[in-house]
Coordinates of all heavy atoms in Angstrom, one line a residue:
K28 N 120.8 262.9 -10.9 CA 119.6 262.3 -11.3 C 119.0 263.2 -12.4 O 118.6 262.7 -13.4 CB 118.7 262.0 -10.2 CG 117.2 261.7 -10.6 CD 116.3 261.6 -9.3 CE 114.9 261.5 -9.8 NZ 114.0 261.5 -8.6
N29 N 119.0 264.4 -12.2 CA 118.3 265.3 -13.2 C 119.1 265.4 -14.6 O 118.5 265.4 -15.5 CB 118.4 266.9 -12.7 CG 117.4 267.0 -11.6 OD1 116.4 266.2 -11.4 ND2 117.6 267.9 -10.6
Y30 N 120.5 265.3 -14.5 CA 121.3 265.1 -15.8 C 120.9 263.9 -16.5 O 120.6 263.9 -17.8 CB 122.7 265.2 -15.4 CG 123.6 265.0 -16.7 CD1 123.8 266.1 -17.6 CD2 124.2 263.8 -16.9 CE1 124.4 265.9 -18.6 CE2 125.0 263.7 -18.0 CZ 124.9 264.7 -19.0 OH 125.9 264.6 -20.0
I31 N 120.8 262.8 -15.9 CA 120.5 261.5 -16.5 C 119.1 261.6 -17.2 O 118.9 261.2 -18.3 CB 120.5 260.4 -15.6 CG1 122.1 260.1 -15.1 CG2 120.0 259.1 -16.1 CD1 122.2 259.1 -14.0
V32 N 118.1 262.1 -16.4 CA 116.7 262.3 -17.0 C 116.8 263.2 -18.1 O 116.2 262.9 -19.2 CB 115.8 262.8 -15.9 CG1 114.6 263.3 -16.6 CG2 115.6 261.8 -14.8
S33 N 117.6 264.3 -18.1 CA 117.6 265.2 -19.2 C 118.3 264.6 -20.4 O 117.8 264.9 -21.6 CB 118.3 266.6 -18.9 OG 119.7 266.3 -18.7
V34 N 119.3 263.8 -20.2 CA 119.9 263.1 -21.4 C 119.0 262.1 -22.0 O 118.9 262.0 -23.3 CB 121.2 262.4 -21.0 CG1 121.7 261.4 -22.0 CG2 122.2 263.4 -20.5
G35 N 118.2 261.5 -21.2 CA 117.2 260.5 -21.6 C 116.1 261.1 -22.4 O 115.7 260.7 -23.5
N36 N 115.7 262.3 -21.9 CA 114.7 263.0 -22.7 C 115.2 263.5 -24.1 O 114.4 263.4 -25.1 CB 114.2 264.3 -21.8 CG 113.2 263.8 -20.8 OD1 112.6 262.8 -20.7 ND2 113.2 264.5 -19.7
E37 N 116.3 264.1 -24.0 CA 117.0 264.5 -25.3 C 117.1 263.4 -26.3 O 116.8 263.6 -27.4 CB 118.3 265.2 -25.0 CG 119.0 265.8 -26.2 CD 120.3 266.5 -25.9 OE1 120.6 266.7 -24.7 OE2 120.9 267.0 -26.9
L38 N 117.6 262.3 -25.9 CA 117.7 261.2 -26.7 C 116.4 260.7 -27.3 O 116.3 260.5 -28.5 CB 118.3 259.9 -25.9 CG 118.4 258.6 -26.7 CD1 119.5 258.7 -27.7 CD2 118.7 257.5 -25.7
E39 N 115.3 260.7 -26.5 CA 114.0 260.3 -27.0 C 113.5 261.3 -28.1 O 112.9 261.0 -29.1 CB 113.0 260.1 -25.9 CG 111.7 259.7 -26.4 CD 110.8 259.2 -25.3 OE1 111.1 259.4 -24.1 OE2 109.7 258.7 -25.6
Q40 N 113.6 262.6 -27.7 CA 113.2 263.7 -28.6 C 113.9 263.6 -30.0 O 113.3 263.8 -31.1 CB 113.4 265.0 -28.0 CG 112.4 265.3 -26.9 CD 112.7 266.6 -26.1 OE1 113.7 267.3 -26.5 NE2 111.9 266.9 -25.1
K41 N 115.2 263.4 -30.0 CA 116.0 263.4 -31.2 C 115.9 262.1 -32.1 O 116.0 262.2 -33.3 CB 117.5 263.8 -30.9 CG 117.7 265.1 -30.4 CD 119.2 265.4 -30.2 CE 119.4 266.9 -29.8 NZ 120.9 267.1 -29.5
T42 N 115.7 261.0 -31.3 CA 115.8 259.7 -32.0 C 114.6 258.8 -31.9 O 114.5 257.9 -32.6 CB 117.1 258.9 -31.6 OG1 116.9 258.4 -30.2 CG2 118.3 259.7 -31.7
G43 N 113.8 259.1 -30.9 CA 112.7 258.2 -30.6 C 113.1 257.1 -29.7 O 112.3 256.3 -29.1
A44 N 114.3 256.8 -29.5 CA 114.8 255.8 -28.6 C 114.6 256.1 -27.1 O 114.6 257.3 -26.8 CB 116.3 255.5 -28.9
Q45 N 114.3 255.1 -26.3 CA 114.2 255.3 -24.9 C 115.2 254.6 -24.1 O 115.5 253.4 -24.4 CB 112.8 254.8 -24.5 CG 111.6 255.6 -25.0 CD 110.3 255.1 -24.6 OE1 110.3 253.9 -24.3 NE2 109.3 255.9 -24.7
E46 N 115.7 255.3 -23.1 CA 116.7 254.6 -22.2 C 116.2 254.7 -20.7 O 115.6 255.8 -20.4 CB 118.1 255.3 -22.2 CG 118.3 256.7 -22.0 CD 118.5 257.0 -20.6 OE1 118.8 256.3 -19.7 OE2 118.4 258.2 -20.3
V47 N 116.4 253.7 -20.1 CA 116.0 253.6 -18.6 C 117.2 253.1 -17.9 O 117.8 252.2 -18.3 CB 114.8 252.6 -18.4 CG1 114.5 252.5 -17.0 CG2 113.6 253.2 -19.2
I48 N 117.4 253.8 -16.7 CA 118.5 253.3 -15.7 C 117.8 252.8 -14.4 O 117.1 253.7 -13.9 CB 119.6 254.3 -15.5 CG1 120.2 254.7 -16.8 CG2 120.6 253.9 -14.6 CD1 121.1 256.0 -16.8
V49 N 118.2 251.7 -14.1 CA 117.4 251.1 -12.8 C 118.5 250.7 -11.9 O 119.4 250.0 -12.3 CB 116.6 249.9 -13.2 CG1 116.0 249.2 -11.9 CG2 115.5 250.2 -14.1
V50 N 118.4 251.1 -10.6 CA 119.4 250.8 -9.6 C 118.6 250.2 -8.4 O 117.7 250.8 -7.9 CB 120.1 252.1 -9.2 CG1 121.1 251.7 -8.0 CG2 120.8 252.9 -10.2
V51 N 119.0 249.0 -8.1 CA 118.4 248.3 -7.1 C 119.4 247.9 -6.0 O 120.7 247.9 -6.3 CB 117.7 247.0 -7.6 CG1 116.6 247.2 -8.5 CG2 118.6 246.0 -8.1
N52 N 119.1 247.7 -4.8 CA 119.9 247.2 -3.7 C 120.4 245.9 -4.0 O 121.6 245.6 -3.7 CB 119.3 247.4 -2.3 CG 119.2 248.8 -1.9 OD1 120.1 249.7 -2.2 ND2 118.2 249.2 -1.2
S53 N 119.5 245.0 -4.2 CA 119.8 243.5 -4.4 C 118.9 242.8 -5.4 O 117.7 243.3 -5.6 CB 119.6 242.9 -3.0 OG 119.8 241.5 -3.2
L54 N 119.3 241.8 -6.0 CA 118.5 241.0 -6.9 C 117.8 239.9 -6.2 O 117.0 239.1 -6.8 CB 119.3 240.4 -8.0 CG 120.2 241.4 -8.9 CD1 121.1 240.7 -9.8 CD2 119.1 242.1 -9.8
N55 N 118.1 239.8 -4.8 CA 117.5 238.8 -4.0 C 117.5 237.4 -4.6 O 116.5 236.5 -4.6 CB 116.1 239.1 -3.6 CG 115.9 240.4 -2.9 OD1 116.6 240.6 -1.8 ND2 115.0 241.3 -3.3
G56 N 118.6 237.0 -5.2 CA 118.9 235.7 -5.6 C 118.5 235.5 -7.1 O 118.8 234.3 -7.6
T57 N 117.8 236.4 -7.8 CA 117.5 236.2 -9.1 C 118.6 236.6 -10.0 O 119.4 237.5 -9.6 CB 116.5 237.3 -9.5 OG1 115.2 237.0 -8.6 CG2 115.9 237.1 -10.9
D58 N 118.8 235.8 -11.1 CA 120.0 236.1 -11.9 C 119.7 237.5 -12.7 O 118.6 237.8 -13.0 CB 120.4 235.0 -13.0 CG 119.3 234.8 -14.0 OD1 118.2 234.2 -13.6 OD2 119.4 235.2 -15.1
I59 N 120.7 238.2 -12.9 CA 120.7 239.7 -13.4 C 120.1 239.6 -14.9 O 119.4 240.5 -15.2 CB 121.9 240.4 -13.3 CG1 121.6 241.9 -13.5 CG2 122.9 239.9 -14.2 CD1 122.7 242.9 -12.9
E60 N 120.4 238.7 -15.7 CA 119.9 238.5 -17.0 C 118.5 238.4 -17.0 O 117.8 239.2 -17.9 CB 120.6 237.3 -17.8 CG 122.1 237.5 -17.9 CD 122.9 237.0 -16.7 OE1 122.4 236.4 -15.8 OE2 124.1 237.2 -16.8
S61 N 117.9 237.5 -16.2 CA 116.4 237.3 -16.3 C 115.7 238.5 -15.8 O 114.7 239.0 -16.2 CB 116.1 236.1 -15.4 OG 116.7 234.9 -15.9
Y62 N 116.2 239.0 -14.7 CA 115.6 240.3 -14.1 C 115.6 241.5 -15.1 O 114.6 242.1 -15.2 CB 116.5 240.7 -12.8 CG 115.7 241.7 -12.0 CD1 115.0 241.3 -10.9 CD2 116.0 243.1 -12.0 CE1 114.4 242.2 -10.0 CE2 115.4 244.0 -11.2 CZ 114.6 243.5 -10.2 OH 114.1 244.5 -9.3
A63 N 116.8 241.7 -15.7 CA 116.8 242.8 -16.7 C 115.8 242.5 -17.9 O 115.3 243.6 -18.3 CB 118.2 243.0 -17.1
N64 N 115.9 241.4 -18.4 CA 115.0 241.1 -19.5 C 113.6 241.3 -19.2 O 112.8 241.7 -19.9 CB 115.3 239.6 -20.0 CG 114.6 239.4 -21.3 OD1 113.5 239.0 -21.3 ND2 115.5 239.5 -22.3
Q65 N 113.2 240.8 -17.9 CA 111.8 240.9 -17.5 C 111.3 242.4 -17.4 O 110.2 242.8 -17.8 CB 111.7 240.2 -16.1 CG 110.1 240.1 -15.7 CD 109.9 241.3 -14.8 OE1 110.6 241.9 -14.2 NE2 108.5 241.6 -14.8
L66 N 112.2 243.2 -16.9 CA 111.9 244.7 -16.7 C 111.8 245.2 -18.1 O 111.0 246.0 -18.3 CB 113.1 245.3 -16.0 CG 113.2 245.2 -14.5 CD1 114.3 246.0 -13.9 CD2 111.9 245.7 -13.8
F67 N 112.8 245.0 -19.0 CA 112.8 245.5 -20.4 C 111.5 245.2 -21.0 O 110.9 246.1 -21.6 CB 113.9 244.9 -21.0 CG 114.2 245.6 -22.5 CD1 114.9 246.7 -22.5 CD2 113.6 245.1 -23.6 CE1 115.2 247.4 -23.8 CE2 113.8 245.6 -24.8 CZ 114.6 246.8 -24.9
R68 N 111.1 243.9 -21.0 CA 109.8 243.6 -21.6 C 108.6 244.2 -20.9 O 107.6 244.6 -21.6 CB 109.7 242.0 -21.7 CG 110.8 241.5 -22.6 CD 110.7 240.0 -22.9 NE 111.8 239.5 -23.6 CZ 112.0 239.6 -25.0 NH1 111.1 240.3 -25.6 NH2 113.0 239.1 -25.6
S69 N 108.4 244.0 -19.7 CA 107.3 244.5 -19.0 C 107.0 245.9 -19.0 O 105.9 246.5 -19.0 CB 107.2 243.9 -17.5 OG 108.2 244.6 -16.8
W70 N 108.1 246.7 -19.1 CA 108.1 248.1 -19.1 C 108.0 248.7 -20.6 O 107.9 249.9 -20.7 CB 109.2 248.8 -18.4 CG 109.1 248.6 -17.0 CD1 108.3 248.0 -16.1 CD2 110.2 249.2 -16.0 NE1 108.7 248.0 -14.8 CE2 109.8 248.8 -14.7 CE3 111.4 249.8 -16.2 CZ2 110.5 249.0 -13.5 CZ3 112.1 250.3 -15.0 CH2 111.7 249.8 -13.8
N71 N 107.9 247.8 -21.5 CA 108.0 248.1 -22.9 C 108.9 249.3 -23.3 O 108.4 250.4 -23.8 CB 106.5 248.4 -23.3 CG 105.6 247.4 -23.2 OD1 105.8 246.3 -23.6 ND2 104.4 247.5 -22.5
I72 N 110.1 249.2 -22.9 CA 111.1 250.3 -23.2 C 111.4 250.4 -24.6 O 111.6 249.4 -25.4 CB 112.3 250.1 -22.5 CG1 112.0 249.9 -20.9 CG2 113.4 251.1 -22.7 CD1 113.2 249.4 -20.0
G73 N 111.2 251.5 -25.2 CA 111.4 251.8 -26.6 C 110.1 251.8 -27.4 O 109.1 251.4 -26.9
Q74 N 110.2 252.2 -28.7 CA 109.0 252.3 -29.5 C 108.7 250.8 -30.0 O 109.6 250.2 -30.3 CB 109.2 253.2 -30.6 CG 109.4 254.6 -30.3 CD 109.9 255.5 -31.5 OE1 110.7 255.1 -32.3 NE2 109.3 256.7 -31.7
K75 N 107.4 250.5 -29.9 CA 107.0 249.1 -30.2 C 107.6 248.7 -31.6 O 108.1 247.6 -31.8 CB 105.6 248.9 -30.1 CG 105.1 247.4 -30.4 CD 103.6 247.3 -30.0 CE 103.2 245.9 -30.2 NZ 101.9 245.7 -29.8
N76 N 107.2 249.6 -32.6 CA 107.6 249.2 -34.0 C 109.1 249.3 -34.4 O 109.5 248.7 -35.4 CB 106.8 250.1 -34.9 CG 106.9 251.5 -34.8 OD1 107.4 252.1 -33.7 ND2 106.8 252.4 -35.8
E77 N 109.8 250.1 -33.5 CA 111.2 250.2 -33.7 C 112.1 249.3 -32.8 O 113.2 249.1 -33.0 CB 111.7 251.7 -33.4 CG 111.0 252.6 -34.3 CD 111.5 252.5 -35.8 OE1 112.7 252.2 -35.9 OE2 110.6 252.8 -36.7
N78 N 111.5 248.8 -31.6 CA 112.3 248.1 -30.6 C 113.5 248.9 -30.2 O 114.6 248.1 -30.3 CB 112.4 246.6 -31.0 CG 112.8 245.7 -29.9 OD1 112.8 246.0 -28.7 ND2 113.3 244.5 -30.3
N79 N 113.6 250.1 -30.0 CA 114.8 250.8 -29.8 C 114.9 251.3 -28.3 O 115.2 252.5 -28.1 CB 114.7 252.0 -30.7 CG 113.5 252.9 -30.6 OD1 112.6 252.6 -29.8 ND2 113.5 254.0 -31.3
G80 N 114.7 250.4 -27.5 CA 115.0 250.7 -26.1 C 116.4 250.3 -25.6 O 117.0 249.4 -26.1
L81 N 116.7 250.9 -24.5 CA 118.0 250.6 -23.8 C 117.7 250.6 -22.2 O 117.1 251.5 -21.7 CB 119.0 251.6 -24.1 CG 120.3 251.5 -23.3 CD1 121.2 250.4 -23.8 CD2 121.1 252.8 -23.6
L82 N 118.1 249.5 -21.6 CA 117.9 249.4 -20.1 C 119.3 249.1 -19.6 O 120.0 248.2 -20.0 CB 117.0 248.3 -19.8 CG 117.0 247.9 -18.2 CD1 116.2 248.8 -17.5 CD2 116.4 246.5 -18.1
I83 N 119.6 249.8 -18.5 CA 120.9 249.8 -17.8 C 120.5 249.4 -16.3 O 119.8 250.2 -15.7 CB 121.9 250.9 -17.7 CG1 122.3 251.2 -19.3 CG2 123.0 250.6 -16.9 CD1 123.0 252.5 -19.4
L84 N 120.8 248.1 -15.8 CA 120.4 247.7 -14.5 C 121.7 247.6 -13.7 O 122.7 246.9 -14.1 CB 119.7 246.3 -14.6 CG 119.3 245.6 -13.3 CD1 118.4 246.5 -12.5 CD2 118.8 244.3 -13.6
V85 N 121.6 248.2 -12.5 CA 122.8 248.0 -11.5 C 122.2 247.5 -10.3 O 121.3 248.1 -9.7 CB 123.4 249.6 -11.3 CG1 124.5 249.4 -10.3 CG2 123.9 250.0 -12.6
S86 N 122.8 246.5 -9.7 CA 122.5 246.0 -8.4 C 123.8 246.2 -7.4 O 124.8 245.7 -7.6 CB 122.3 244.5 -8.5 OG 122.0 244.0 -7.2
I87 N 123.5 247.1 -6.5 CA 124.6 247.6 -5.6 C 125.2 246.5 -4.8 O 126.3 246.3 -4.9 CB 124.0 248.8 -4.7 CG1 123.5 249.9 -5.6 CG2 125.1 249.2 -3.9 CD1 124.4 250.6 -6.4
N88 N 124.4 245.8 -4.0 CA 124.9 244.9 -3.0 C 125.3 243.6 -3.8 O 126.5 242.9 -3.3 CB 123.9 244.4 -2.0 CG 123.5 245.6 -1.1 OD1 124.2 246.5 -1.0 ND2 122.3 245.5 -0.6
D89 N 124.9 243.3 -5.0 CA 125.4 242.1 -5.7 C 126.6 242.6 -6.5 O 127.4 241.6 -7.1 CB 124.3 241.6 -6.7 CG 123.1 241.1 -5.8 OD1 123.2 240.3 -4.8 OD2 121.9 241.5 -6.2
R90 N 126.9 243.8 -6.7 CA 128.0 244.3 -7.5 C 128.0 243.7 -8.9 O 129.0 243.3 -9.5 CB 129.3 243.9 -6.8 CG 129.4 244.7 -5.4 CD 130.7 244.2 -4.7 NE 131.9 244.8 -5.5 CZ 133.0 245.2 -5.1 NH1 133.2 245.0 -3.9 NH2 133.9 245.7 -5.9
R91 N 126.8 244.0 -9.5 CA 126.5 243.4 -10.8 C 125.8 244.5 -11.7 O 125.0 245.3 -11.0 CB 125.6 242.2 -10.8 CG 126.0 241.0 -10.1 CD 127.1 240.0 -10.7 NE 126.9 239.8 -12.1 CZ 126.4 238.8 -12.6 NH1 125.7 237.8 -11.9 NH2 126.2 238.6 -13.9
W92 N 126.0 244.4 -12.9 CA 125.3 245.4 -13.9 C 125.0 244.7 -15.2 O 125.7 243.7 -15.5 CB 126.1 246.6 -14.1 CG 127.4 246.5 -14.7 CD1 128.6 246.2 -14.2 CD2 127.7 246.8 -16.1 NE1 129.6 246.2 -15.0 CE2 129.0 246.6 -16.3 CE3 126.9 247.1 -17.2 CZ2 129.6 246.6 -17.5 CZ3 127.5 247.2 -18.4 CH2 128.8 247.0 -18.5
R93 N 123.9 245.2 -15.8 CA 123.6 244.6 -17.1 C 123.1 245.5 -18.0 O 122.4 246.5 -17.5 CB 122.5 243.5 -16.8 CG 121.8 242.8 -18.0 CD 122.6 241.6 -18.4 NE 121.9 241.1 -19.6 CZ 122.4 240.1 -20.3 NH1 123.6 239.6 -20.2 NH2 121.7 239.6 -21.3
V94 N 123.2 245.4 -19.4 CA 122.7 246.2 -20.3 C 121.7 245.4 -21.2 O 122.1 244.3 -21.7 CB 123.8 246.9 -21.2 CG1 123.2 247.7 -22.2 CG2 124.6 247.8 -20.3
E95 N 120.5 245.9 -21.4 CA 119.6 245.1 -22.3 C 119.3 246.1 -23.5 O 119.1 247.4 -23.2 CB 118.2 244.9 -21.7 CG 118.4 243.7 -20.7 CD 118.5 242.4 -21.5 OE1 118.2 242.1 -22.5 OE2 119.2 241.4 -20.8
V96 N 119.5 245.8 -24.6 CA 119.3 246.6 -25.8 C 118.3 245.9 -26.8 O 118.4 244.8 -27.1 CB 120.7 246.7 -26.6 CG1 120.5 247.6 -27.8 CG2 121.7 247.2 -25.7
G97 N 117.4 246.8 -27.2 CA 116.3 246.4 -28.2 C 117.0 246.1 -29.6 O 118.1 246.8 -29.8
T98 N 116.5 245.4 -30.4 CA 117.1 245.1 -31.7 C 117.3 246.2 -32.5 O 118.1 246.3 -33.4 CB 116.3 243.9 -32.5 OG1 114.9 244.4 -32.5 CG2 116.4 242.6 -31.7
G99 N 116.4 247.3 -32.3 CA 116.5 248.4 -33.2 C 117.7 249.4 -32.8 O 118.1 250.3 -33.6
L100 N 118.4 249.1 -31.7 CA 119.6 249.8 -31.4 C 120.9 249.0 -31.4 O 122.0 249.5 -31.1 CB 119.5 250.3 -29.9 CG 118.6 251.5 -29.7 CD1 118.6 252.0 -28.3 CD2 119.0 252.8 -30.6
E101 N 120.7 247.7 -31.8 CA 121.9 246.8 -31.7 C 123.1 247.2 -32.6 O 124.1 247.0 -32.2 CB 121.5 245.3 -32.0 CG 120.8 244.8 -30.9 CD 120.4 243.4 -31.3 OE1 120.4 242.9 -32.4 OE2 120.1 242.5 -30.3
G102 N 122.8 248.0 -33.8 CA 123.9 248.5 -34.5 C 124.7 249.5 -33.8 O 125.8 249.8 -34.0
A103 N 123.9 250.4 -33.1 CA 124.5 251.5 -32.3 C 125.2 251.2 -31.0 O 126.1 251.7 -30.6 CB 123.6 252.6 -32.2
V104 N 124.4 250.3 -30.3 CA 124.8 250.0 -28.9 C 124.8 248.4 -28.8 O 123.7 247.8 -29.0 CB 123.9 250.5 -27.8 CG1 124.3 250.1 -26.5 CG2 123.7 252.0 -28.1
T105 N 125.9 247.7 -28.4 CA 125.9 246.4 -28.2 C 125.8 245.9 -26.7 O 126.2 246.8 -25.8 CB 127.2 245.7 -28.7 OG1 128.3 246.3 -28.0 CG2 127.3 246.0 -30.3
D106 N 125.3 244.8 -26.4 CA 125.3 244.4 -25.0 C 126.6 244.3 -24.5 O 126.8 244.4 -23.3 CB 124.6 242.9 -25.0 CG 123.1 242.9 -25.2 OD1 122.6 244.0 -25.5 OD2 122.6 241.8 -25.2

């Protein structure tokens, strides 16, 4: 956990981009795309004027994962 947080802090300090990793037990029937997109938008991940956020969502019991990328990072990181 500490390593992941330190990498995220370093990324933000060097580039302004923000990354968030979310691990949940279950999506409770919600499709992962909608869940990830809602988290990405409601948490305002990334700088507003740059839209440079990255969200990685992992659902343990559903055995699913999803990456949401702001348009400001699409050249560097693809879905």
Side-chain angles (χ1 to χ4, degrees):
K28 176 183 169 185
N29 290 336
Y30 177 73
I31 292 171
V32 170
S33 71
V34 169
N36 287 336
E37 183 177 352
L38 175 69
E39 186 171 7
Q40 288 172 0
K41 289 183 177 179
T42 68
Q45 295 177 336
E46 57 92 8
V47 175
I48 300 171
V49 179
V50 179
V51 297
N52 286 326
S53 174
L54 297 167
N55 296 319
T57 304
D58 68 280
I59 196 163
E60 294 84 5
S61 298
Y62 194 92
N64 192 276
Q65 187 270 333
L66 284 179
F67 188 86
R68 293 185 187 284
S69 66
W70 289 1
N71 297 313
I72 301 169
Q74 297 170 320
K75 184 176 183 177
N76 57 337
E77 299 289 329
N78 195 14
N79 58 354
L81 170 72
L82 169 74
I83 300 171
L84 173 63
V85 178
S86 177
I87 302 296
N88 294 339
D89 298 309
R90 300 179 64 153
R91 304 280 319 266
W92 63 280
R93 172 87 178 168
V94 176
E95 288 291 326
V96 179
T98 57
L100 286 180
E101 284 182 344
V104 180
T105 62
D106 290 5

